[in-house]
Amino acid sequence: MAEQQELARLLQATAHGDRQAFARLYELTAPKLLGAGVHMLKRRELAEDVLQDLFVKVWHRASEYQAERGGVLTWLYSVQRYLALDKLRAQRPTEALDEEMSSTLASDGPDPSTMAMSDDMAARVRRCLDTLTDTQRRTVTLAFFEGLTHAELTEKLQTPLGTVKSWIRRGLLSLQKCLEQ
C-alpha cells in the first residue's frame, strides 16, 4: 500500500513538472515495465523503445491519471500495453510466422513480467486471477499478458467480439475489486 501511495505522490509531482519525482518514478517502475514489455514484445530493443515512449507520454500526460480508476502501476501497464500493441502492429510481418519458427521464439523460463513484479503484488494478482471464471481468466491473460488484440481474441476463442469485450470488462472489474481489498 505504501508503494502505491509513493507512486501516486511521484506521479502527481511529475504532473507539476518535478523532474526529480519523474526520475524517481522511473527508477521504481521501469524494471517492472521493461520486464512486462519484453514478455509482450519478445524483443528487448522493442520493449526499450516502448518504455521510452511510455515515459515521454507520462511526462506530458501525468495529469490525466485518475486514482479512482486504479493504481499508478496499473495505469502505466495499461498505457504500455497500448503502445506495445501499436509497436507490434507496425512490426508485424506481412506473412505469419510458421509454427516451427514461432516455437523457437518462445521462452521456456519464467516470463519477465512475473519476475519483475514484486512478490507481494504478483501473489495478489495471482490470487485475484484465481477468483475469475475460467473464461475471464483466460481472456484477460491472453489480452494483457500475451498482448492479443480484441480481433485476435475473437479468432483464437472463436467467440463474437462483443462477448470477448464483455469477458474482459467483467474480468477487469472483478480484478480491480479484488486488488482493492
Side-chain angles (χ1 to χ4, degrees):
M1 220 31 128
E3 180 186 22
Q4 291 176 22
Q5 291 171 342
E6 174 70 2
L7 293 178
R9 184 190 67 73
L10 292 171
L11 189 61
Q12 185 177 26
T14 297
H16 291 99
D18 185 332
R19 291 178 186 269
Q20 289 179 332
F22 179 69
R24 182 68 181 142
L25 179 68
Y26 179 88
E27 288 172 10
L28 292 174
T29 60
K32 297 172 186 177
L33 293 164
L34 180 61
V38 169
H39 178 68
M40 187 182 299
L41 295 164
K42 309 292 188 236
R43 291 180 40 204
R44 185 178 178 91
E45 65 274 9
L46 292 179
E48 289 171 350
D49 287 348
V50 167
L51 186 67
Q52 180 178 349
D53 293 345
L54 168 65
F55 277 98
V56 168
K57 198 170 280 266
V58 167
W59 177 253
H60 292 288
R61 296 186 175 168
S63 62
E64 293 178 11
Y65 167 71
Q66 298 173 8
E68 62 277 2
R69 298 186 79 190
V72 172
L73 200 53
T74 303
W75 180 68
L76 292 171
Y77 280 127
S78 178
V79 173
Q80 178 190 36
R81 178 180 178 270
Y82 289 109
L83 291 170
L85 289 173
D86 289 344
K87 181 70 77 174
L88 283 172
R89 287 183 192 112
Q91 298 290 321
R92 194 168 276 165
T94 55
E95 295 180 28
L97 292 174
D98 63 26
E99 282 298 313
E100 183 180 352
M101 179 62 139
S102 65
S103 68
T104 62
L105 296 176
S107 170
D108 292 332
D111 64 78
S113 62
T114 301
M115 293 176 357
M117 291 173 74
S118 69
D119 290 340
D120 180 50
M121 180 57 97
R124 288 177 60 210
V125 169
R126 279 192 300 273
R127 179 181 53 82
C128 289
L129 278 171
D130 287 342
T131 67
L132 301 179
T133 67
D134 290 340
T135 305
Q136 289 172 340
R137 182 173 37 275
R138 182 168 187 230
T139 309
V140 167
T141 301
L142 288 171
F144 289 93
F145 294 109
E146 298 298 325
L148 269 60
T149 65
H150 287 129
E152 291 168 333
L153 282 167
T154 60
E155 185 177 319
K156 183 174 185 84
L157 302 174
Q158 297 194 350
T159 305
L161 179 61
T163 303
V164 167
K165 287 182 176 182
S166 292
W167 288 342
I168 291 173
R169 179 169 168 64
R170 281 182 274 181
L172 291 177
L173 288 173
S174 295
L175 279 176
Q176 182 180 9
K177 284 180 184 176
C178 180
L179 289 170
E180 289 173 353
Q181 295 176 353

